Amino acid sequence: MAMAVAPSRPFDYLESLPGTTFYKLYQQPSTALAIFRRMLPDLAKCFVMALLYLKDPLPATDLEAWVKAESLKERDNALSILGRLHILSNTVITDNVRAYKVTDPFASSLRQALTGAEKTQSFGVLWHISDGAAVSIAELDEYARRQWEGVLGYMVGTSGLGIQRDANLSKGVKQLLQAGHLVEIRDRRVEITQDGFAFVLQDVSTQVWHILMLYVESADAIGMSSVEVLSFVFLLSSLELGKAYDKKHLTSNQLRTLTDLADFGIVYQDSPDASHFYPTRLATTLTSDSSALSNPISGSLSGPSGTGSNKAGSGFIIVETNYRLYAYTSSPLQISLIALFTTLKYRFPNLITGKITRQSVRRAIEMGITADQIISYLATHAHPQMRKHNVSRSTSNQAGIPPSVLPPTVTDQIRLWQLERDRVKATPGFLFKDFVSLAEYEAPCRYAEEIGVLVWKSDRKRMFFVTRHEQVAAFLRSRK
Amino acid sequence: MNAVDATEHYETSARDPAPALLTVVLDTNPHAWALLEDSLPLSKAIANILVFLNAHLACNYANEVAVVASHSQKAAWLYPHENPATKISHDADGDVSMNGSSTNNNTTEGPGQVNKYRPFRIVEEQVTHNLRELMASTSGPDVKANNSTMMAGALTLALSHINRRSIAWAEAHGADTAAETSGGGPPSGGHASGTDTTEGLQSRILIVSVSGASDSAHQYIPIMNSIFACQRLHIPIDVCKLSGDAVFLQQASDATKGIYMSLTEPRGLLQYLMMAFLPDQRSRRHLVLPTRVDVDFRAACFCHRRVVDIGFVCSICLSIFCEPLDNGTCLTCGTNLEIGDYGAKPAVVARKRKKKKRVNGPSGTATPTPTPTPGP
Amino acid sequence: MGDSDEEYIGEVSEDEDDNNVFRGSRSEGSASRAKRRKQRGGAEWEVSRTWETLVEGADGTISSTVEGLLEAGKRKRLLKDTTPLQRGIIRHLILIIDLSQSMTEKDLRPTRYLLTLRYAQELVREFFEQNPISQLGVLGLRDGLAIRISDLSGNPTEHISAIQTLRDQDPKGLPSLQNGIEMARGALFHTPSHGTREIFIIFGSLLSSDPGDIHQTIANLINDKVRVGIVGLAAQVAICRELCAKTNGGDDTRYGVALNEQHFRELLMDVTTPPATYSQKQSASSLLMMGFPSRTVETSPSLCACHSKSSCGGYLCSRCNSKVCGLPAECPSCGLTLILSTHLARSYHHLFPLVNWVEVPWQRASRSSVCFACGIAFPPVPPKDQWQTTENQAKGMSVSSRYECTVCENHFCIDCDLFAHEVVHNCPGCQSKPTFPKKADLLGCQAGLGLEIMDTSA
């Protein structure tokens, strides 16, 4: 777990870009900083920093000697990631010695980010605002929460189980969700897909990245340069919460992006023509790990609305070993999410209780949710009391296995209920039968086994079942 | 059903690696820096260290730094340390000779360009401002008075800060804080085995030192106390030695599994820092670290300050002497001590004493006299 | 529990007194326990009326009271006696663990037996951290016999792995105090007189089935200058109290009975503090010869003298140059004790403890607004008329949450207080001020007092 920090989606997208795009991307120091922070494993960061201020390339043997022999796998992983992101390049110096060098736009941008002397306004330009008119952080959080829950509620509400929400989202948002296969239009009703379920059950940081990547991918379709959008996204990630930023240095494409992102609650502006905008917490924590995000944001997104950021973590779900579930929330979105896989019993102003039953889990699985998604959702939003209890339980556990936050009985049982659906496994294929004699049956059967397509055979009934029939049929014809 | 076996599925989701707290203890002894002025002036060294701090912050969103200055007669916080009185009155240049910066940026609020990532900027401003104040408040007579540095105070302040941040982090992430304070050990609960815990804040201390050891001899006990505290809390102490020689710093990094480097070329400070001192504890497991094997652990005797191989220790107050005392009185605690013979005589097997038989003859093998036959 | 009603197994003891004392002690024990607790001023075993201690704060919540209770709890742990006493730094301790039937009780989670073993391992670790030049041995009492679990040595891993093997076996039979003490006495027989000789027993039963006269054994212990401490898990047993009182010169505070797991752990960890020497004639002080080797690294492996294991590095004895692998150790060839100066330095804080910090009343609280060490903000000083009310609420903790060091007069918060006294043993304020250059040597300037010897005759 310590190695792969990057969520795979933005990383895969970046990998698919051609080298020239990277050249343009890395001109901005904020981009270089964001990619450095978020996409690289620890060892890769050490490599980059060590090579950043060297004048000459470092011979490859020196770099390899620096890493311990046991950590070969991590080293190769780090080097390959750096290569794929065009950060590290192989050169050859005198005497045909292979050497590594940090590629140039990235190196100079990162250096500028560290020392802070460049001409571009890559870190945003502050907008001076008088105190009375400034928007407070609490208001920004509230806005972000409302918008984000609106989007998620739109997705979940359409599955028919949750509470219906007013569909007052902009057309762009709906189009984006549809383009990303998170919802589907079927018979003029909007329904959530399996990808959509996976999406809503993830933690907020992954969700935000997912949406942003969808937006970047669809940028070309709308007529904007994806590079520009991407670098704007990275610029947003380096801004500070609670401060207003000037819009006059942004290009028209960036302004358009700003408006679209405001619909999601990632930035806030008073009106599309306002001269300044505010990034919300969703934007400023883009380059953080999800645990840093869970502290204030999910607290305000999923906790009882109206409370400020609570100090002690932000989970709100307690799962007992008798499968009962208590969730201290009153947000309709969270309630409908929980209702997807539990049977709710009581609802109080600040608490809902329910039970995880076989029927509820089977219902969820039929809709397309996997057991792993349910378990990771519960673990991400586990109440701090469960974490504390977990730590104190772990002291009496001598085997050295890191315990999970949820009771093991519950997690195992959810997986077992999922497995129940797999009792019958269907394999499509072709059945060969009605052979006249045993000898005639044996030969193609053996041939099918040799080429590896045989799935089942019965000598008594003289039938066999294969996945692919062409070769067996050709064999039979050739024998005749 | 092996696929569902609970013992292997224990994986808490979204357990990202914990952030790191880097505390830099900067030795600002004016005497020593004056000697280094030709090869590495203080302003340039500070600039390099600031870039290094920014690199540390760049590695992870939640990384933190703290800077303590160990001055000649006090230890003071450089970051985080907001001096409320002087927060607003910045002049145009808030930083110190950065490579090629223009002076019209880096104002605090107000219209203007922000060409630097804000967290970096805040660190730089506070450090330079507080350092400038520290230097301004040092007067001539103070500098003349002593030429040592308050390393023990700085280390203790750093440790208190680490303690505070660890408690705050643990509270914010729902770990069990009660277990920490009772034992004072790492917050991993029961068995503190050699495996690294990924929960809990990973802290380390970097000492940038320029002074020698003889100046801080009277701080020996507090420094050793701090070193043992670091050892207990698994906080590595890295030492970057620019000049001077301090044996206890070598012992410190050896005892806490830190890195000790004595720079041969002080001008290359930034590269040394980036390559050797930047990787955090997790990455250090994969890298080959510079080690120093010839750490001198010998003690100095209290009477003559000579380094001894074999010493005589008072069992009451544990002071070390190079030779047995004449009158048997310990110099520090004054108790009367018994002095053993310390192997002056070799240990030999005692000789068996031969039993002398009283026989009529002069020599050993006497013929046995027959018993007289009884008379009639 | 049928244990306490069983007759003695083994020879019938001639001492009727013992029997009577023992039987009577059960009823007497509870009364004397009550008296003792009351004498110590605590109502710890009484029912604590928590509903009365909880008071609503001004904003209608109890969060301030809860924080105050937490702080008071932390503070309670800190207040120890900190006069610099003469202490036995070189210690020889035998740990005796009760492995009898009564340890299968589940009143301490998961069972007394498993919890004891776990705490014993932590005790071993902590002991060697605080007393690096000392030695420890472990014995067990099972089925009327005393069994040797690990020998007296200075290597913590040996003891920890030996205790680990105990986990597979079950407790059985009845304990025999006399057998255990006799075996321990034999193990301590050869220890030199300049170190302390201690026995520490973890006793979970209410009886002891001995083959002979335990009072004779106690007399032998007193002759050999062995000190015994006991922690009981069930109830107070008279013979244990007598044992502790007689071997510690009349002071029976070394006998404690655990109320809960937390208290048990505290009683155990108290053992790691070196005991104060309590009478002049008991302190045998001598000048010890010790070697301070330095580490060598060799290019080719060679055998070490202590385990005959081949390794590339180690320490060479300063006198005879034989290689040992770890320190502290005794050279196998010439018998010289080999240590590092850091090992000695570890014990200095016992000899020169950090003075306790005092609470700061509101009058003096306005001198500081943040903690000197960590920078956390203190609660602001309320107007004068509220001072009295808040003082009534705060019990056991500082009303202004500030604690002051009397030497440097800086204010600190409770967490820094705890940290400085338990982990670092330095005051951040005193260390950040210049010390006046002294001509005295290293140790003298830390605490300018001489070392006193504790007087227990009072």
Side-chain angles (χ1 to χ4, degrees):
Chain A
M1 270 303 288
M3 279 309 295
V5 176
S8 55
R9 221 200 138 89
F11 184 69
D12 295 335
Y13 176 72
L14 282 177
E15 270 193 300
S16 63
L17 295 175
T20 48
T21 324
F22 279 107
Y23 188 80
K24 277 184 275 174
L25 259 183
Y26 288 149
Q27 301 285 349
Q28 296 279 340
S30 56
T31 314
L33 186 64
I35 290 185
F36 175 80
R37 227 181 215 188
R38 190 78 169 114
M39 307 283 168
L40 298 181
D42 290 330
L43 206 55
K45 288 180 189 163
C46 298
F47 288 164
V48 171
M49 278 300 173
L51 296 177
L52 191 63
Y53 279 94
L54 283 180
K55 284 203 274 287
D56 308 316
L58 184 72
T61 43
D62 288 349
L63 191 71
E64 280 153 30
W66 190 29
V67 183
K68 279 193 195 152
E70 301 95 52
S71 313
L72 218 55
K73 195 164 64 92
E74 283 89 358
R75 185 198 80 199
D76 290 336
N77 184 30
L79 287 175
S80 85
I81 290 184
L82 287 173
R84 278 182 277 165
L85 287 178
H86 298 268
I87 295 178
L88 208 62
S89 68
N90 273 322
T91 56
V92 176
I93 52 179
T94 56
D95 300 336
N96 268 353
V97 175
R98 231 175 17 107
Y100 290 114
K101 191 167 95 83
V102 187
T103 55
D104 215 345
F106 186 82
S108 50
S109 300
L110 194 58
R111 276 196 285 261
Q112 281 175 358
L114 288 181
T115 57
E118 85 294 351
K119 305 286 183 293
T120 63
Q121 293 82 18
S122 141
F123 287 104
V125 180
L126 272 184
W127 173 258
H128 183 61
I129 202 161
S130 53
D131 284 328
V135 180
S136 70
I137 294 186
E139 285 174 27
L140 287 175
D141 278 343
E142 179 63 29
Y143 174 75
R145 190 189 67 88
R146 223 177 33 231
Q147 292 296 112
W148 195 252
E149 283 200 359
V151 173
L152 291 183
Y154 169 71
M155 290 172 66
V156 174
T158 55
S159 74
L161 279 175
I163 304 157
Q164 287 295 337
R165 302 194 64 83
D166 302 344
N168 57 351
L169 301 175
S170 76
K171 203 153 147 302
V173 171
K174 296 186 193 170
Q175 270 180 347
L176 190 65
L177 291 178
Q178 206 179 337
H181 299 292
L182 296 178
V183 297
E184 266 176 357
I185 306 270
R186 217 183 275 162
D187 304 329
R188 276 200 270 155
R189 259 192 338 131
V190 185
E191 272 195 5
I192 189 169
T193 62
Q194 183 169 2
D195 286 341
F197 273 127
F199 178 78
V200 296
L201 289 178
Q202 282 165 345
D203 55 308
V204 185
S205 149
T206 325
Q207 287 173 342
V208 174
W209 270 109
H210 198 110
I211 289 282
L212 286 175
M213 284 300 120
L214 281 180
Y215 188 78
V216 171
E217 280 165 9
S218 64
D220 284 328
I222 319 181
M224 297 195 282
S225 137
S226 55
V227 172
E228 216 180 322
V229 175
L230 198 55
S231 48
F232 184 63
V233 166
F234 285 127
L235 185 150
L236 281 180
S237 68
S238 67
L239 300 179
E240 186 170 334
L241 186 62
K243 300 266 180 284
Y245 289 88
D246 200 353
K247 290 213 288 195
K248 67 173 185 281
H249 300 281
L250 303 178
T251 68
S252 63
N253 277 340
Q254 291 175 330
L255 288 171
R256 205 171 140 196
T257 314
L258 209 55
T259 322
D260 290 331
L261 290 181
D263 282 333
F264 280 102
I266 298 179
V267 294
Y268 170 76
Q269 44 186 2
D270 296 321
S271 72
D273 304 320
S275 51
H276 54 277
F277 68 96
Y278 296 85
T280 64
R281 209 180 281 274
L282 291 174
T284 53
T285 47
L286 271 178
T287 53
S288 74
D289 301 324
S290 59
S291 55
L293 192 57
S294 69
N295 198 349
I297 186 61
S298 331
S300 61
L301 275 193
S302 57
S305 49
T307 59
S309 64
N310 29 359
K311 284 186 296 193
S314 66
F316 55 91
I317 298 184
I318 296 186
V319 181
E320 290 184 336
T321 52
N322 56 2
Y323 300 90
R324 285 189 210 220
L325 180 128
Y326 305 88
Y328 288 86
T329 177
S330 57
S331 136
L333 171 69
Q334 298 297 329
I335 294 178
S336 32
L337 283 183
I338 294 176
L340 286 175
F341 55 86
T342 62
T343 321
L344 294 181
K345 266 201 155 95
Y346 301 112
R347 184 176 173 175
F348 298 100
N350 65 337
L351 166 71
I352 57 170
T353 62
K355 200 161 165 154
I356 301 179
T357 62
R358 187 162 171 269
Q359 291 89 341
S360 65
V361 172
R362 279 177 60 130
R363 190 181 66 218
I365 292 183
E366 269 161 31
M367 280 196 291
I369 308 178
T370 66
D372 282 326
Q373 287 167 3
I374 297 179
I375 292 172
S376 70
Y377 176 79
L378 287 175
T380 321
H381 293 95
H383 197 272
Q385 194 64 33
M386 288 194 57
R387 287 191 233 271
K388 270 191 212 166
H389 183 66
N390 179 39
V391 170
S392 64
R393 243 188 328 138
S394 74
T395 60
S396 55
N397 176 11
Q398 290 276 343
I401 311 169
S404 78
V405 187
L406 303 173
T409 52
V410 177
T411 53
D412 286 349
Q413 190 59 55
I414 296 181
R415 290 205 171 97
L416 281 172
W417 280 328
Q418 177 182 266
L419 280 184
E420 274 181 10
R421 294 203 58 192
D422 296 341
R423 281 201 301 217
V424 175
K425 187 170 146 186
T427 319
F430 305 88
L431 179 70
F432 282 78
K433 59 180 184 173
D434 290 340
F435 288 96
V436 177
S437 71
L438 192 62
E440 200 186 320
Y441 154 78
E442 291 247 307
C445 179
R446 207 173 316 123
Y447 176 71
E449 207 168 345
E450 275 168 26
I451 58 177
V453 298
L454 185 68
V455 177
W456 171 85
K457 69 176 191 222
S458 162
D459 292 334
R460 205 168 55 84
K461 297 197 211 152
R462 293 205 285 259
M463 305 182 187
F464 61 90
F465 190 81
V466 289
T467 47
R468 301 182 67 79
H469 70 285
E470 298 91 358
Q471 286 176 291
V472 185
F475 174 79
L476 280 172
R477 261 180 263 128
S478 69
R479 270 174 56 106
K480 286 229 179 58
Chain B
M1 280 299 145
N2 279 345
V4 195
D5 185 12
T7 49
E8 274 141 34
H9 282 294
Y10 280 172
E11 190 185 292
T12 57
S13 69
R15 256 309 174 195
D16 300 296
L21 165 62
L22 169 68
T23 310
V24 178
V25 173
L26 182 61
D27 182 1
T28 53
N29 187 0
H31 290 265
W33 278 109
L35 291 173
L36 266 184
E37 190 68 30
D38 311 325
S39 47
L40 186 68
L42 180 60
S43 52
K44 209 145 160 300
I46 300 280
N48 285 344
I49 292 176
L50 285 173
V51 173
F52 171 67
L53 290 179
N54 289 345
H56 176 78
L57 286 174
C59 281
N60 194 332
Y61 181 79
N63 274 357
E64 300 172 13
V65 290
V67 186
V68 188
S70 155
H71 204 55
S72 48
Q73 86 282 36
K74 65 177 168 182
W77 276 108
L78 293 184
Y79 178 83
H81 188 65
E82 288 234 335
N83 215 339
T86 54
K87 202 158 74 140
I88 320 252
S89 66
H90 281 299
D91 251 11
D93 55 342
D95 58 356
V96 179
S97 73
M98 302 297 291
N99 344 345
S101 78
S102 45
T103 50
N104 62 351
N105 40 10
N106 297 329
T107 53
T108 47
E109 313 296 345
Q113 309 202 357
V114 178
N115 277 343
K116 184 190 275 291
Y117 186 45
R118 213 181 131 81
F120 293 173
R121 200 160 57 80
I122 295 180
V123 174
E124 284 183 21
E125 279 179 7
Q126 277 198 14
V127 171
T128 47
H129 175 75
N130 287 327
L131 187 62
R132 192 165 286 144
E133 267 196 24
L134 180 68
M135 291 302 189
S137 65
T138 315
S139 60
D142 291 333
V143 174
K144 271 208 208 82
N146 56 354
N147 58 351
S148 69
T149 179
M150 288 272 138
M151 188 59 67
L155 276 177
T156 315
L157 284 182
L159 279 172
S160 311
H161 178 80
I162 290 178
N163 184 43
R164 160 69 48 203
R165 294 299 310 148
S166 304
I167 294 180
W169 197 90
E171 233 171 82
H173 288 79
D176 192 359
T177 52
E180 269 183 67
T181 50
S182 64
S188 68
H191 44 171
S193 54
T195 59
D196 217 273
T197 64
T198 46
E199 339 223 345
L201 199 61
Q202 310 243 321
S203 359
R204 61 189 204 273
I205 298 182
L206 168 67
I207 302 182
V208 180
S209 159
V210 292
S211 354
S214 56
D215 314 333
S216 0
H218 59 273
Q219 293 182 11
Y220 179 68
I221 293 182
I223 292 182
M224 293 312 282
N225 280 340
S226 324
I227 293 174
F228 294 137
C230 288
Q231 202 176 7
R232 205 159 154 193
L233 299 173
H234 297 282
I235 299 177
I237 297 183
D238 303 327
V239 178
C240 180
K241 201 111 201 34
L242 294 172
S243 75
D245 180 37
V247 178
F248 60 85
L249 287 182
Q250 289 180 24
Q251 291 182 2
S253 45
D254 186 77
T256 55
K257 302 198 197 43
I259 300 176
Y260 180 95
M261 275 196 96
S262 171
L263 303 194
T264 46
E265 189 61 50
R267 270 180 288 225
L269 178 63
L270 182 60
Q271 187 56 33
Y272 278 108
L273 286 175
M274 292 288 227
M275 192 139 181
F277 293 105
L278 187 62
D280 61 347
Q281 276 119 301
R282 264 191 318 271
S283 315
R284 281 184 195 184
R285 277 182 283 167
H286 303 298
L287 295 172
V288 175
L289 304 167
T291 48
R292 192 190 174 102
V293 281
D294 52 345
V295 185
D296 195 353
F297 277 115
R298 296 175 300 173
C301 76
F302 287 13
C303 36
H304 310 107
R305 294 265 188 281
R306 274 196 298 229
V307 172
V308 293
D309 266 337
I310 299 185
F312 296 88
V313 177
C314 163
S315 63
I316 304 293
C317 64
L318 298 184
S319 26
I320 308 172
F321 304 104
C322 46
E323 57 206 6
L325 310 154
D326 316 323
N327 48 357
T329 323
C330 168
L331 288 176
T332 28
C333 61
T335 37
N336 211 350
L337 301 171
E338 300 166 16
I339 304 187
D341 64 353
Y342 307 126
K345 296 205 191 84
V348 294
V349 180
R351 268 187 0 181
K352 252 189 12 194
R353 260 186 258 156
K354 285 209 193 125
K355 283 211 188 97
K356 280 213 165 114
K357 286 199 182 140
R358 286 208 174 265
V359 295
N360 288 337
S363 68
T365 59
T367 55
T369 52
T371 52
T373 53
Chain C
M1 275 204 47
D3 260 349
S4 34
D5 290 327
E6 275 178 53
E7 294 287 331
Y8 280 168
I9 298 179
E11 286 176 49
V12 175
S13 153
E14 285 174 41
D15 285 348
E16 295 294 316
D17 302 336
D18 255 3
N19 238 339
N20 288 340
V21 165
F22 177 65
R23 286 246 176 76
S25 75
R26 269 182 62 236
S27 52
E28 187 188 293
S30 47
S32 65
R33 206 173 7 135
K35 238 196 331 209
R36 188 159 306 281
R37 294 278 185 249
K38 277 223 164 52
Q39 275 172 8
R40 295 212 199 116
E44 293 156 39
W45 65 276
E46 280 180 0
V47 173
S48 56
R49 301 192 178 85
T50 49
W51 59 90
E52 286 179 7
T53 58
L54 223 45
V55 172
E56 246 182 47
D59 51 354
T61 62
I62 55 169
S63 52
S64 52
T65 326
V66 170
E67 276 168 22
L69 283 176
L70 280 176
E71 205 175 303
K74 284 185 199 169
R75 184 101 176 114
K76 203 166 62 154
R77 274 183 236 149
L78 273 189
L79 294 174
K80 301 194 282 243
D81 188 16
T82 55
T83 51
L85 296 167
Q86 191 180 78
R87 294 181 186 268
I89 298 292
I90 303 171
R91 308 170 66 184
H92 306 276
L93 174 72
I94 300 281
L95 180 67
I96 303 184
I97 306 181
D98 182 2
L99 303 173
S100 66
Q101 196 60 33
S102 57
M103 295 297 274
T104 54
E105 284 287 315
K106 294 196 172 64
D107 57 351
L108 298 172
R109 298 266 135 212
T111 64
R112 282 186 195 169
Y113 181 62
L114 293 173
L115 190 72
T116 305
L117 291 184
R118 197 174 101 211
Y119 281 167
Q121 288 176 322
E122 285 178 24
L123 173 69
V124 170
R125 235 176 252 124
E126 186 77 12
F127 180 77
F128 281 108
E129 231 182 72
Q130 299 288 327
N131 310 277
I133 47 181
S134 314
Q135 295 192 328
L136 180 76
V138 185
L139 301 178
L141 306 174
R142 175 193 273 147
D143 215 3
L145 300 173
I147 51 178
R148 171 162 305 168
I149 299 174
S150 71
D151 288 325
L152 201 62
S153 88
N155 184 6
T157 41
E158 198 183 303
H159 302 299
I160 292 177
S161 43
I163 298 179
Q164 188 70 19
T165 56
L166 276 184
R167 280 187 165 256
D168 310 323
Q169 306 161 16
D170 279 331
K172 192 162 97 100
L174 298 173
S176 162
L177 269 181
Q178 186 181 8
N179 285 338
I181 293 178
E182 285 289 344
M183 187 182 255
R185 194 167 77 87
L188 288 174
F189 187 67
H190 291 286
T191 60
S193 63
H194 60 254
T196 65
R197 290 175 182 163
E198 301 164 51
I199 298 179
F200 191 71
I201 310 181
I202 302 179
F203 200 59
S205 318
L206 293 174
L207 59 83
S208 161
S209 88
D210 299 327
D213 180 8
I214 198 168
H215 293 284
Q216 185 62 38
T217 312
I218 297 180
N220 289 341
L221 283 181
I222 298 175
N223 269 342
D224 286 344
K225 305 194 187 65
V226 176
R227 299 164 65 160
V228 179
I230 306 184
V231 76
L233 300 181
Q236 199 181 64
V237 180
I239 188 64
C240 295
R241 193 163 63 154
E242 188 180 327
L243 186 57
C244 287
K246 283 204 174 144
T247 52
N248 284 301
D251 168 34
D252 66 347
T253 53
R254 299 275 289 173
Y255 180 34
V257 179
L259 293 170
N260 49 41
E261 283 117 347
Q262 183 84 358
H263 189 216
F264 182 27
R265 195 166 193 279
E266 276 172 25
L267 287 173
L268 270 188
M269 291 308 161
D270 274 344
V271 175
T272 59
T273 323
T277 52
Y278 62 88
S279 88
Q280 185 64 41
K281 65 175 163 58
Q282 290 246 348
S283 68
S285 48
S286 47
L287 201 60
L288 315 162
M289 181 153 87
M290 295 192 177
F292 298 95
S294 35
R295 185 151 57 182
T296 68
V297 174
E298 298 152 355
T299 45
S300 54
S302 57
L303 296 179
C304 71
C306 35
H307 308 107
S308 301
K309 248 183 349 184
S310 106
S311 61
C312 264
Y315 300 90
L316 297 181
C317 167
S318 331
R319 197 156 61 174
C320 66
N321 270 349
S322 42
K323 189 170 90 160
V324 291
C325 21
L327 294 182
E330 200 173 304
C331 172
S333 336
C334 62
L336 180 66
T337 316
L338 299 171
I339 54 173
L340 293 173
S341 53
T342 47
H343 293 138
L344 289 180
R346 256 192 216 280
S347 310
Y348 287 150
H349 73 87
H350 292 300
L351 298 171
F352 307 105
L354 186 60
V355 287
N356 273 336
W357 293 341
V358 294
E359 300 158 4
V360 173
W362 282 124
Q363 290 93 322
R364 292 167 55 86
S366 44
R367 287 180 49 215
S368 68
S369 60
V370 295
C371 168
F372 181 81
C374 61
I376 200 175
F378 286 137
V381 185
K384 260 212 177 99
D385 43 347
Q386 291 186 10
W387 285 2
Q388 199 54 38
T389 50
T390 47
E391 254 157 49
N392 290 341
Q393 273 186 353
K395 293 186 190 61
M397 57 171 240
S398 164
V399 64
S400 61
S401 304
R402 294 162 170 79
Y403 299 87
E404 183 175 354
C405 167
T406 45
V407 178
C408 60
E409 295 183 4
N410 281 316
H411 292 183
F412 302 95
C413 63
I414 181 65
D415 293 310
C416 291
D417 191 355
L418 207 64
F419 187 65
H421 281 97
E422 292 204 345
V423 185
V424 190
H425 308 286
N426 283 345
C427 166
C430 301
Q431 292 308 318
S432 308
K433 272 188 352 183
T435 58
F436 302 107
K438 276 192 158 99
K439 285 211 211 71
D441 50 344
L442 292 182
L443 287 183
C445 65
Q446 177 71 356
L449 319 164
L451 295 169
E452 311 158 12
I453 298 183
M454 183 169 95
D455 189 10
T456 52
S457 57

